[in-house]
Amino acid sequence: MNKKVAIKIMFFLLGTILIFHLLIFTEQIPYDKVWAGRLNSVEEMKSFETFSILINIFMVLVLLIKYKLLKSGKTNKAIDILIWVFVVFFALNTLGNLFAKSLIELILGSFLTLACSILCFIIVKK
């Protein structure tokens, strides 16, 4: 798989994840079914979801810059370092999802974050 295809898949996955978090934020999805079942109040959910939405938007922006760099044949060390951070972030998130109380989060969340970690690795490897 080439880097541009991996980035396009990541755009799709992150877009889907953003929609998911917006549905949680607007309480269309019950907050007790996410975050490994550890959220105790709507206020706690709002702060966790706000942070998550902002992180996901940041990742989309970084990947958009990487995509434009790939198209132009240029590189940027800072962007590559950030994507390496994403690799580690998604790998750690995969481990966290393995301890989720919800079976859906355990299976789907673990698969999704593992896939994102692998895709980010493909995007950033030499």
Side-chain angles (χ1 to χ4, degrees):
M1 174 181 309
N2 72 41
K3 293 176 185 221
K4 288 181 186 176
V5 170
I7 289 175
K8 289 177 183 177
I9 294 169
M10 279 299 297
F11 285 146
F12 172 77
L13 293 176
L14 290 172
T16 303
I17 291 167
L18 274 168
I19 291 168
F20 176 73
H21 284 291
L22 287 169
L23 290 172
I24 297 166
F25 189 85
T26 59
E27 300 183 52
Q28 303 302 308
I29 294 174
Y31 68 85
D32 63 334
K33 303 294 182 211
V34 294
W35 293 100
R38 292 184 173 87
L39 297 179
N40 299 312
S41 67
V42 172
E43 294 78 24
E44 194 174 35
M45 175 274 290
K46 297 275 185 189
S47 55
F48 273 70
E49 288 304 320
T50 299
F51 180 73
S52 183
I53 289 166
L54 291 173
I55 291 292
N56 279 280
I57 290 170
F58 176 72
M59 284 190 268
V60 168
L61 293 174
V62 169
L63 290 173
L64 183 61
I65 293 168
K66 180 67 175 178
Y67 185 76
K68 289 182 178 192
L69 289 168
L70 286 172
K71 285 178 76 172
S72 69
K74 298 177 183 177
T75 61
N76 182 305
K77 220 171 188 100
I79 293 297
D80 287 345
I81 289 169
L82 286 171
I83 297 172
W84 275 112
V85 170
F86 298 167
V87 171
V88 173
F89 171 77
F90 282 120
L92 292 174
N93 207 322
T94 300
L95 291 175
N97 284 331
L98 292 174
F99 294 99
K101 293 178 183 175
S102 161
L103 188 60
I104 292 173
E105 190 174 4
L106 171 73
I107 296 168
L108 187 61
S110 298
F111 173 77
L112 185 62
T113 54
L114 180 61
C116 287
S117 183
I118 292 167
L119 288 166
C120 285
F121 176 77
I122 291 168
I123 292 165
V124 80
K125 72 177 174 144
K126 301 247 182 241

